[in-house]
């Protein structure tokens, strides 16, 4: 009996503690502390971008040691892994963004956040030019910001390989507005297909959704579109839903080349079951406003009419990155990004660091790599600050023994600045019908799994990886809402 009482009391205390802690976390989130102002004695780090790499750095950086300035054309972080779910309304875009100021306002020192594009880096005078691209124009739209250290986390832009018509007619899937545009276009195609007296050929064209690129972005988008079709469109557009076709075009012999063979086969079989037609060994050669020209496996050319065209053929470097490369012709010789050393320092520079998709490194352009690099760089900056402090002290000391002792410590700190090490946690992708695939590292090998259980795992991983409690609550609510009420089919 007394044991039962003890157990009950422990549970009660545990619950109370949990509620108290959650209340404190929520209160703390809404009530940021007083922040110290910029310190002219400290070095200034300018961080470009508010994506995976920059936000991870921002979360971990010690602002007692540096002044920090963030420059990004969007004033929020976007959780890209759930972006395909926003194209059909499974998740609301607001649920997967986190305002950058929610992070910076909790730092011990004030962090300046400028919503602007960095248009040019001047590595010789150590300044960046920033430009306000918002629709509201102030009196000043361009400015120069000086830095001691510059961190380039501007990500990458969409690769089109210069194929004619892609920029004009295709939609991409990288940013919040891309997902919104896709959703609007999709609903437009369906509503227009239902317009009176539309010819059968035109209905078929409007309801043909083509995805180019069989990497994870293309596959996940096709999967979300399929779910929307079977779970919602069949109910609300019974006369049209049966005519909607999804086609995935991939230049290589199979989709998802980075996944293991059995998961590729599993995905392709699952897509077949879902009536998503996959055209492998097929290259898009030209894009027109209503059709694309493709080169098929046998080399012949064919026309493929479409209503919606989503282009997901990977990354290429942004103009600001290419401009910086051109200033280092001897060391920056690779077009796909800025070359860095093992400490993520840009080749040819002593004070510029490059993270995530903006870098040309041995790692894949993924959120996992970018966020680990951001965390690593925050630790590296702390060590650099300690190194600077010791160097100043050594310089000022006249006592030989004391100087030698400090020099030994300085040497130890320098030795302790280890190169970046990436720890791969595995790859996941959603493939439709409540199924996901996972390639997970296991010992020296790999474990591959696919199916509904993997989908539950996929959901729990993404839910726990979201940046804040707020995001987790919103995404969980969206998932429940979708299951109970279905997706919203109104046009954005
Ligand atoms: P980004 O996150 O793209 O951030 C770049 C930042 O720079 C943005 O804030 C942007 O506004 C800003 N910026 C752009 N131009 C400028 C400029 N001129 N000046 C200043 N700032 C600028 N990876 C995974 O590991 N797992 C996944 O499940 C996964 N899913 C994905 C799903 C989709 C739909 C997409 C598109 C990508 C996905 N990725 C995933 C890849 C992952 O999102 C990227 O590798 C990651 O975003 C790279 O981080 P980053 O910080 O380098 O760039
Ligand atoms: P990707 O580079 O992984 O895939 C692009 C695909 O498009 C390639 O398979 C390529 O062969 C194909 N392609 C190129 N040109 C073509 C053409 N003209 N016609 C037909 N096919 C063509 O690009 P993606 O999917 O955008 O991914 C970018 C990065 O983001 C990758 O590193 C990826 O791993 C990561 N990512 C990860 C996700 C996950 O882990 N779930 C989800 C989305 C992206």
């Amino acid at each position: 009996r007394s044991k039962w009482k003890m157990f009950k009391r422990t549970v009660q205390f545990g619950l109370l503690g949990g509620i108290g802690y959650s209340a404190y976390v929520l209160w703390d989130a809404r009530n940021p502390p007083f922040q110290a102002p910029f310190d002219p004695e400290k070095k200034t780090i300018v961080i470009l971008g508010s994506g995976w790499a920059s936000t991870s750095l921002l979360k971990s950086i010690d602002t007692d040691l540096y002044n920090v300035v963030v420059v990004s054309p969007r004033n929020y972080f976007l959780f890209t892994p759930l972006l395909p779910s926003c194209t059909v309304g499974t998740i609301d875009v607001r649920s997967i963004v986190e305002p950058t100021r929610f992070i910076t306002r909790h730092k011990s020192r004030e962090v300046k956040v400028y919503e602007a594009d960095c248009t040019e880096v001047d590595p010789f005078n150590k300044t960046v030019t920033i430009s306000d691209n918002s629709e509201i124009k102030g009196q000043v739209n361009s400015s120069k910001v000086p830095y001691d250290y510059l961190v380039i986390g501007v990500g990458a832009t969409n690769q089109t390989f210069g194929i004619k018509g892609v920029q004009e007619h295709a939609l991409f899937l990288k940013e919040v507005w891309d997902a919104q545009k896709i959703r609007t276009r999709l609903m437009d195609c369906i509503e227009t297909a239902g317009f009176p007296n539309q010819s059968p050929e035109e209905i078929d064209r409007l309801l043909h959704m083509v995805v180019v690129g069989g990497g994870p972005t293309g596959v996940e988008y096709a999967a979300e579109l399929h779910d929307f079709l079977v779970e919602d469109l069949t109910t609300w557009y019974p006369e049209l839903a049966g005519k909607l076709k999804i086609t995935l075009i991939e230049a290589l012999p199979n989709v998802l080349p980075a996944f293991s063979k059995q998961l590729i086969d599993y995905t392709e079989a699952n897509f077949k079951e879902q009536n998503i037609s996959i055209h492998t060994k097929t290259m898009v050669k030209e894009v027109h406003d209503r059709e694309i020209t493709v080169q098929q496996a046998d080399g012949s050319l064919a026309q493929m009419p479409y209503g919606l065209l989503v282009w997901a053929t990977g990354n290429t470097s942004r103009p600001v990155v290419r401009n910086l490369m051109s200033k280092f012709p001897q060391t920056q010789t690779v077009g796909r990004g800025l070359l860095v050393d093992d400490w993520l320092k840009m080749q040819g520079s002593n004070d510029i660091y490059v993270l995530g998709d903006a870098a040309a490194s041995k790692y894949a352009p993924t959120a996992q790599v970018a966020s680990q690099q951001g965390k690593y760089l925050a630790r590296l900056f702390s060590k650099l600050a300690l190194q600077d402090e010791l160097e100043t002290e050594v310089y000022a000391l006249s006592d030989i023994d004391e100087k030698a002792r400090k020099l030994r410590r300085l040497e130890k700190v320098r030795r302790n600045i280890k190169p970046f090490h990436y720890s791969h946690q595995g790859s996941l992708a959603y493939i439709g019908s409540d199924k996901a695939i996972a390639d997970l590292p296991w010992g020296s090998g790999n474990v591959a799994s696919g199916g509904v259980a993997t989908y539950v795992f996929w959901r729990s991983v993404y839910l726990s990886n979201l940046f804040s409690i707020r995001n987790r609550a919103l995404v969980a609510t969206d998932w429940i809402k979708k299951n109970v009420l279905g997706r919203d089919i109104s046009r954005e």
Side-chain angles (χ1 to χ4, degrees):
R1 209 183 157 84
S2 71
K3 268 190 187 162
W4 171 242
K5 257 191 175 169
M6 273 246 301
F7 173 71
K8 255 174 61 180
R9 199 158 287 169
T10 313
V11 170
Q12 277 166 355
F13 275 128
L15 273 175
L16 272 176
I19 292 168
Y21 178 70
S22 306
Y24 168 73
V25 169
L26 290 175
W27 180 87
D28 184 54
R30 301 285 308 272
N31 296 278
F34 165 80
Q35 293 182 299
F38 261 42
D39 181 348
E41 298 295 310
K42 306 252 179 247
K43 286 187 172 171
T44 297
I45 300 177
V46 172
I47 302 174
L48 302 182
S50 55
W52 276 96
S54 302
T55 305
S56 156
L57 165 66
L58 202 52
K59 276 191 108 179
S60 307
I61 199 162
D62 186 347
T63 50
D64 286 338
L65 305 175
Y66 293 99
N67 300 314
V68 176
V69 179
V70 180
V71 175
S72 180
R74 57 176 209 217
N75 70 353
Y76 55 82
F77 163 77
L78 168 66
F79 189 83
T80 46
L82 291 176
L83 191 61
S85 300
C86 300
T87 56
V88 292
T90 312
I91 289 176
D92 192 280
V93 284
R94 293 265 155 208
S95 305
I96 57 165
V97 304
E98 180 77 349
T100 302
R101 281 167 201 272
F102 282 14
I103 300 155
T104 56
R105 273 294 282 118
H106 282 87
K107 306 303 283 186
S108 57
R109 188 186 306 285
E110 171 198 11
V111 174
K112 291 197 194 310
V113 182
Y114 299 129
E115 194 189 62
D117 267 309
C118 168
T119 49
E120 193 170 357
V121 176
D122 180 348
F124 312 111
N125 294 307
K126 296 178 72 161
T127 59
V128 291
T129 305
I130 66 168
S131 144
D132 177 5
N133 283 339
S134 68
E135 282 170 20
I136 309 284
K137 293 284 171 224
Q139 279 183 336
V140 181
N141 297 317
S142 178
S143 185
K144 277 195 188 335
V145 180
Y147 66 81
D148 293 298
Y149 290 118
L150 177 67
V151 179
I152 301 182
V154 298
T157 187
N158 300 293
Q159 175 64 278
T160 65
F161 301 102
I163 295 170
K164 223 171 125 196
V166 178
Q167 288 290 357
E168 295 87 331
H169 307 299
L171 299 179
F172 301 103
L173 183 51
K174 205 171 238 316
E175 299 286 349
V176 160
W177 51 88
D178 292 329
Q180 286 165 330
K181 273 193 208 160
I182 290 175
R183 194 170 172 194
T184 304
R185 173 90 192 198
L186 172 65
M187 293 320 297
D188 266 351
C189 283
I190 295 168
E191 294 295 354
T192 308
F195 197 78
N197 304 323
Q198 212 70 268
S199 71
E201 295 76 41
E202 186 61 352
I203 293 175
D204 286 346
R205 178 187 77 79
L206 286 163
L207 296 181
H208 189 200
M209 312 301 167
V210 176
V211 184
V212 184
T217 305
V219 164
E220 290 194 329
Y221 172 65
E224 290 285 347
L225 184 54
H226 160 269
D227 288 2
F228 184 42
L229 171 65
V230 297
E231 290 168 14
D232 301 88
L233 295 180
T234 41
T235 311
W236 308 117
Y237 297 88
E239 71 291 4
L240 294 175
K243 294 177 185 160
L244 196 143
K245 267 184 17 194
I246 307 170
T247 299
L248 180 66
I249 298 179
E250 167 56 52
L252 297 175
N254 53 262
V255 298
L256 297 177
F259 280 77
S260 52
K261 173 85 175 76
Q262 70 187 98
L263 292 181
I264 292 172
D265 293 345
Y266 180 73
T267 305
E268 292 187 348
N270 195 57
F271 270 22
K272 206 169 170 192
E273 231 170 76
Q274 295 175 144
N275 284 325
I276 299 174
S277 86
I278 303 182
H279 294 237
T280 50
K281 297 187 193 159
T282 305
M283 276 253 258
V284 176
K285 289 295 194 186
E286 205 171 330
V287 175
H288 307 277
D289 64 342
R290 288 159 176 251
E291 61 179 19
I292 49 177
T293 307
V294 294
Q295 185 173 39
Q296 303 174 115
D298 60 5
S300 63
L301 292 180
Q303 306 301 322
M304 195 183 273
Y306 69 85
L308 166 71
L309 180 69
V310 173
W311 194 268
T313 62
N315 295 338
T316 186
S317 46
R318 290 195 188 274
V320 63
V321 163
R322 283 203 297 275
N323 180 284
L324 181 57
M325 279 174 197
S326 68
K327 294 176 181 169
F328 293 87
Q330 304 297 322
T331 43
Q332 292 301 328
T333 47
V334 176
R336 73 189 154 90
L338 289 158
L339 284 168
V340 291
D341 66 14
D342 290 345
W343 290 262
L344 308 180
K345 200 193 289 173
M346 192 185 97
Q347 303 272 11
S349 160
N350 255 332
D351 33 49
I352 300 180
Y353 290 83
V354 190
L355 308 176
D357 290 5
S361 65
K362 56 187 171 196
Y363 308 109
T366 64
Q368 261 191 82
V369 170
S371 64
Q372 288 184 30
Q373 289 181 332
K375 254 188 218 148
Y376 164 82
L377 197 59
R379 288 197 302 273
L380 185 130
F381 277 136
S382 294
K383 288 176 186 164
L384 289 182
L386 179 59
Q387 185 183 298
D388 284 353
E389 192 188 308
L390 286 170
E391 275 170 0
T392 315
E393 282 174 21
V394 168
Y395 185 72
L397 278 172
S398 49
D399 182 293
I400 305 241
D401 288 343
E402 186 60 7
K403 207 171 184 128
R405 200 180 63 78
K406 276 267 164 21
L407 271 172
R408 277 199 300 278
R409 182 143 181 246
L410 181 60
E411 208 34 56
K412 203 171 158 199
V413 170
R414 281 191 186 136
R415 270 203 313 272
N416 210 6
I417 302 183
K418 300 267 172 6
F420 170 70
H421 169 75
Y422 171 61
S423 152
H424 186 57
Q425 305 296 307
S427 306
L428 293 167
Y430 182 60
I431 57 164
S433 305
D434 292 347
K435 289 180 190 152
I437 51 169
D439 247 340
L440 304 171
W442 188 267
S444 55
N446 221 34
V447 176
S449 82
V452 179
T454 312
Y455 174 57
V456 175
F457 176 67
W458 177 91
R459 274 196 165 187
S460 59
V461 167
Y462 284 168
L463 205 56
S464 62
N465 280 343
L466 277 157
F467 256 50
S468 67
I469 292 186
R470 182 183 145 275
N471 285 150
R472 278 179 214 129
L474 291 173
V475 167
T477 313
D478 286 345
W479 278 335
I480 295 168
K481 228 165 60 186
K482 182 224 102 183
N483 283 336
V484 177
L485 305 170
R487 296 174 183 85
D488 184 352
I489 54 155
S490 55
R491 198 174 163 279
E492 287 266 323

